[in-house]
Amino acid sequence: MARTNSALMMSMGTVNMWGFSPAYDVCSGLSEWNKGKSSWVNSDDDEQKVSNQPINVLLAGPGDVRHVLATISCRRRWEPAMKHRPVHIYIFEKAIETLSRDLLLVQVAFDANLPLRQRCNLFLEIFGNSRVQERTSVYIEEQAKLLIDFVYNDRGSLAGLVDLSHLKMRTHDDLIDSFRSWFQSVKFNVDTLLDHRLRHYYEVRYDYRDNLIDWDYTMKLKKIENASVIHIRQYRDWRNTGVAFEFGDQTYTVPNRTMAAYTEAKKKHHGSVLCRGLWTDIIVSPYISFGVHCEKPNRFVEQLFEIHNKGTGVEQNRHNTVEVAVYNVLSYLYEIETGKRYQMGKEHDIFSGIGDAEGTPSDDKLVPRFEELNEDTDQSKITEKELRKQHVAAQGCAETIKETLQGVKIIPLTGNVEDLFSKKRYTGLFDYAFISSQQCHTLQPSEDVKQQTTATITNILKDGAAVDVESSVFMLPLTEEQRALYVTKLQEWAAHHALQPTFDFHDKNEPSHEDMTKINNAVLRFSYGAKGASAV
């Protein structure tokens, strides 16, 4: 089994395609949001001035669009001084394949041609499965063609929402090449590639990998708060097959070509080359992004984490992580499309809050299973009436989506994140920054004195900005001591950049083993500048 640090880190993926922290509304980390009202909103004129300034958010290496969906969906719930301001979300991904996947997932999320339930399942299938259904593969190719048209001609569902002007023309070409690699005619033997990754990781213990998976689950993953909702069978099946989200009796036989990516490698007698393969995480799982945490607006949602026989040694979660993930994606899309917060209407039924949003009857409008037909009834009139009703509902939904997305811009970025810090167009721009575990090395102080003043994260932050850094809570390949040391180092690096922590580990600098099992510590929040310090 792999024991070196490089091999352990490689097991979490060299090309990140999902995050190691739960989704949440990123703007809840703003100093204005935390205080409920900005200290510089004192009059109507000031409020009008604030409302015209966009909230600029940087997501550095998130791996997916979980924070994008959560932020957009919660926008209507913000304070008046916040919710009327434009929101510009900058997504930085080092790998062009991850960036292209982000665009695909956004397009799938806003595909109004699909019913809400089907769209949620399809989103998660593309997001977390190495193999998909045949019809899903056809759908991905169709969406790839639409994305190519968007990059070429700036038209389609993403036009006006996604701004590609910050990318070089060469990057546009790379995006198009990535989209074309999703066509069904392109070969991608995902099973063989996954087997190569697993054999490299387990080495001589490959035949006993199920035992090692059980150990990781019992001794590491299950100890983390809410992580027991991930069932051992789901976790084991994903580790062995790469299929995380299964729905009903569907079969997943076609490779998910969106997971293909290039990474740097060394070829014997040749030197450095780019190698195409499956370079995603094979240890942590895509369940973390959507499947271990959610907002709980009522008691029915709290029951998603209900545990039976608690304290007996044979605990069993009533629900599983796939249900939580579906609930999260469903609640984001529902709130974007209706402007109302999604709430379950029945216990243990995640779809009970949809009601008329999908053309299905709600609890107070139940339709009898059998209906007595009158011979004199004009069926054509009934059909026409239903179609008219559906058309009106679709128009209302489209208007609500348009209103929700008004002022929202998604701006993709790629390259080296250090170059981002030194560009003048981004100087003092961002109100909020999220730094993933894949990009946290950018906080490490540089030995170059010139680089310390020109290429640091503080160059792009506004006074009072909030900085969230993904911690090591879900880094399963690391030991408890290594995870605690990781967080300690993050605090040291943050202090070097004058970032003030808004958290504390019981007045200790180093987190305890118990602290590293709290899901709230999956992201560490810091504040920058005088306003941030006063907020702390």
Side-chain angles (χ1 to χ4, degrees):
M1 186 172 173
R3 297 183 183 275
T4 63
N5 290 335
S6 60
L8 291 175
M9 298 306 293
M10 185 177 177
S11 67
M12 292 188 287
T14 58
V15 179
N16 199 18
M17 292 191 175
W18 46 74
F20 298 154
S21 59
Y24 65 99
D25 172 17
V26 293
C27 288
S28 63
L30 290 168
S31 56
E32 298 97 326
W33 175 249
N34 289 334
K35 296 174 69 174
K37 188 175 182 180
S38 175
S39 59
W40 34 286
V41 180
N42 297 320
S43 65
D44 294 338
D45 293 338
D46 288 339
E47 185 171 342
Q48 183 65 28
K49 183 178 179 181
V50 170
S51 65
N52 292 331
Q53 296 178 352
I55 301 172
N56 295 303
V57 178
L58 172 65
L59 305 178
D64 53 42
V65 295
R66 64 191 187 280
H67 299 320
V68 176
L69 295 180
T71 302
I72 294 175
S73 65
C74 296
R75 192 180 174 205
R76 290 174 177 270
R77 290 188 255 146
W78 295 350
E79 293 292 326
M82 294 279 293
K83 67 181 180 180
H84 297 299
R85 296 172 60 183
V87 179
H88 295 174
I89 303 176
Y90 295 73
I91 304 180
F92 174 87
E93 298 286 5
K94 185 176 181 180
I96 197 69
E97 294 86 0
T98 306
L99 198 64
S100 58
R101 256 175 62 97
D102 290 346
L103 296 179
L104 172 65
L105 292 174
V106 171
Q107 184 158 285
V108 172
F110 297 132
D111 187 356
N113 295 323
L114 295 176
L116 198 54
R117 296 190 196 186
Q118 182 182 350
R119 205 184 325 155
C120 293
N121 294 354
L122 184 64
F123 178 94
L124 291 172
E125 182 182 347
I126 297 173
F127 164 69
N129 289 1
S130 63
R131 283 183 279 109
V132 296
Q133 302 174 63
E134 187 173 354
R135 64 178 181 180
T136 303
S137 182
V138 174
Y139 176 82
I140 291 174
E141 182 171 347
E142 293 173 354
Q143 297 303 308
K145 293 177 181 178
L146 295 177
L147 287 169
I148 291 173
D149 185 48
F150 165 68
V151 175
Y152 274 140
N153 305 310
D154 193 23
R155 62 188 179 192
S157 59
L158 298 185
L161 175 63
V162 177
D163 181 7
L164 300 179
S165 62
H166 290 240
L167 298 177
K168 298 179 180 179
M169 296 308 298
R170 182 177 62 184
T171 307
H172 287 208
D173 296 336
D174 292 339
L175 280 174
I176 291 171
D177 290 340
S178 181
F179 296 145
R180 285 174 176 164
S181 69
W182 299 345
F183 290 179
Q184 291 181 289
S185 58
V186 179
K187 292 184 179 181
F188 181 56
N189 194 339
V190 67
D191 292 331
T192 301
L193 294 171
L194 177 61
D195 186 66
H196 288 168
R197 290 285 309 280
L198 295 178
R199 289 182 181 276
H200 180 268
Y201 176 72
Y202 293 115
E203 295 178 344
V204 296
R205 305 180 73 180
Y206 176 81
D207 292 334
Y208 307 98
R209 60 190 181 279
D210 283 351
N211 297 341
L212 299 175
I213 293 170
D214 290 347
W215 176 269
D216 286 344
Y217 177 82
T218 304
M219 303 305 295
K220 296 181 179 180
L221 181 61
K222 195 175 181 180
K223 291 182 178 180
I224 301 173
E225 182 183 2
N226 289 350
S228 64
V229 76
I230 304 175
H231 197 278
I232 178 60
R233 289 186 179 179
Q234 292 174 319
Y235 184 66
R236 187 190 300 121
D237 289 346
W238 173 78
R239 288 272 295 255
N240 286 325
T241 66
V243 177
F245 300 97
E246 296 185 79
F247 303 99
D249 57 353
Q250 307 297 334
T251 56
Y252 304 89
T253 57
V254 182
N256 186 354
R257 293 174 175 84
T258 67
M259 288 191 176
Y262 286 92
T263 192
E264 295 181 0
K266 289 186 178 180
K267 188 176 181 180
K268 193 174 182 180
H269 307 304
H270 191 279
S272 297
V273 294
L274 288 177
C275 182
R276 186 171 186 261
L278 183 72
W279 304 112
T280 60
D281 158 53
I282 59 172
I283 299 297
V284 180
S285 84
Y287 297 128
I288 309 304
S289 293
F290 295 103
V292 296
H293 178 266
C294 65
E295 294 184 359
K296 301 172 183 177
N298 59 23
R299 62 184 180 87
F300 297 143
V301 183
E302 294 177 359
Q303 292 174 349
L304 292 178
F305 298 93
E306 180 181 337
I307 300 177
H308 291 178
N309 305 321
K310 197 169 184 179
T312 63
V314 288
E315 295 87 351
Q316 179 67 52
N317 283 74
R318 173 155 186 167
H319 298 275
N320 60 66
T321 183
V322 175
E323 293 176 273
V324 176
V326 171
Y327 170 82
N328 272 321
V329 177
L330 179 65
S331 62
Y332 299 149
L333 301 186
Y334 180 89
E335 191 164 0
I336 291 172
E337 295 184 5
T338 65
K340 301 176 183 178
R341 193 173 185 181
Y342 183 76
Q343 297 196 24
M344 291 169 55
K346 287 182 181 179
E347 58 182 10
H348 310 302
D349 184 359
I350 58 176
F351 298 111
S352 58
I354 295 180
D356 294 331
E358 200 181 33
T360 57
S362 56
D363 295 337
D364 55 347
K365 297 180 181 179
L366 293 177
V367 178
R369 187 172 182 180
F370 300 100
E371 182 179 357
E372 185 176 348
L373 297 178
N374 190 346
E375 295 180 358
D376 298 332
T377 303
D378 190 348
Q379 296 296 328
S380 61
K381 290 184 179 180
I382 296 177
T383 304
E384 184 179 350
K385 185 178 180 180
E386 291 178 351
L387 290 175
R388 191 182 302 112
K389 183 180 179 180
Q390 292 177 2
H391 180 68
V392 172
Q395 283 184 330
C397 179
E399 291 176 0
T400 306
I401 294 175
K402 185 178 180 180
E403 183 181 349
T404 304
L405 297 179
Q406 186 176 4
V408 176
K409 270 191 178 181
I410 300 174
I411 304 167
L413 302 171
T414 190
N416 291 321
V417 70
E418 290 86 355
D419 297 338
L420 191 74
F421 299 159
S422 58
K423 289 185 178 180
K424 290 185 178 180
R425 70 186 303 180
Y426 303 118
T427 302
L429 178 65
F430 295 105
D431 302 276
Y432 176 91
F434 170 85
I435 303 176
S436 71
S437 56
Q438 298 279 342
Q439 296 294 332
C440 69
H441 64 275
T442 58
L443 295 175
Q444 186 174 4
S446 174
E447 296 179 357
D448 188 349
V449 178
K450 184 178 180 181
Q451 190 175 2
Q452 287 183 8
T453 58
T454 60
T456 61
I457 188 173
T458 54
N459 291 341
I460 62 174
L461 298 177
K462 286 183 180 179
D463 186 22
V467 180
D468 281 8
V469 184
E470 200 170 57
S471 75
S472 55
V473 168
F474 287 99
M475 290 187 180
L476 303 185
L478 304 183
T479 63
E480 292 182 346
E481 291 75 15
Q482 288 174 326
R483 282 187 279 169
L485 180 61
Y486 178 97
V487 172
T488 303
K489 282 292 183 182
L490 283 182
Q491 294 182 83
E492 293 177 2
W493 295 348
H496 177 81
H497 296 290
L499 298 176
Q500 301 293 327
T502 62
F503 58 90
D504 66 273
F505 298 118
H506 307 289
D507 298 327
K508 296 180 181 178
N509 292 330
E510 297 183 2
S512 64
H513 294 330
E514 184 180 355
D515 291 327
M516 298 311 298
T517 62
K518 299 294 184 182
I519 200 166
N520 289 338
N521 293 329
V523 173
L524 304 177
R525 179 165 298 162
F526 300 86
S527 60
Y528 173 71
K531 289 184 180 179
S534 62
V536 176

